[in-house]
Amino acid sequence: MFRLATVALCVASAVAFTAPRAPVRSSALMAKSKAIPFLEQPPMLDGSMAGDSGFDPLRLSEISDVGLDLYWMREAELKH
């Protein structure tokens, strides 16, 4: 029992001195926004609309469960 505890402590202390692995991020594959470079580019804002530079920090362009789409919100913004 004492030997098992000693071996476990030696292994644990040896692991403490190894270099940490770099985290794997899936967001590294996504394009970055031109407006906010440290955030990912929203999928709906691809530059096809006038003035579209990818600025959507609240992700309002991804709202689809209430029946609003990006074109309706654009028209409402231009109207008001």
Side-chain angles (χ1 to χ4, degrees):
M1 184 68 165
F2 182 71
R3 286 186 187 177
L4 181 63
T6 305
V7 170
L9 288 174
C10 289
V11 169
S13 63
V15 171
F17 291 105
T18 60
R21 289 187 284 164
V24 178
R25 297 181 185 172
S26 62
S27 63
L29 301 175
M30 296 183 67
K32 297 295 182 181
S33 173
K34 289 183 269 182
I36 308 173
F38 56 87
L39 293 179
E40 289 83 22
Q41 179 180 2
M44 294 292 292
L45 301 178
D46 56 358
S48 61
M49 300 174 87
D52 177 15
S53 63
F55 183 77
D56 189 15
L58 298 178
R59 300 288 184 188
L60 295 175
S61 64
E62 296 177 5
I63 297 175
S64 62
D65 58 345
V66 292
L68 303 176
D69 63 341
L70 187 60
Y71 296 102
W72 185 87
M73 288 192 284
R74 178 182 177 214
E75 184 179 341
E77 182 67 26
L78 291 174
K79 184 178 179 180
H80 296 283

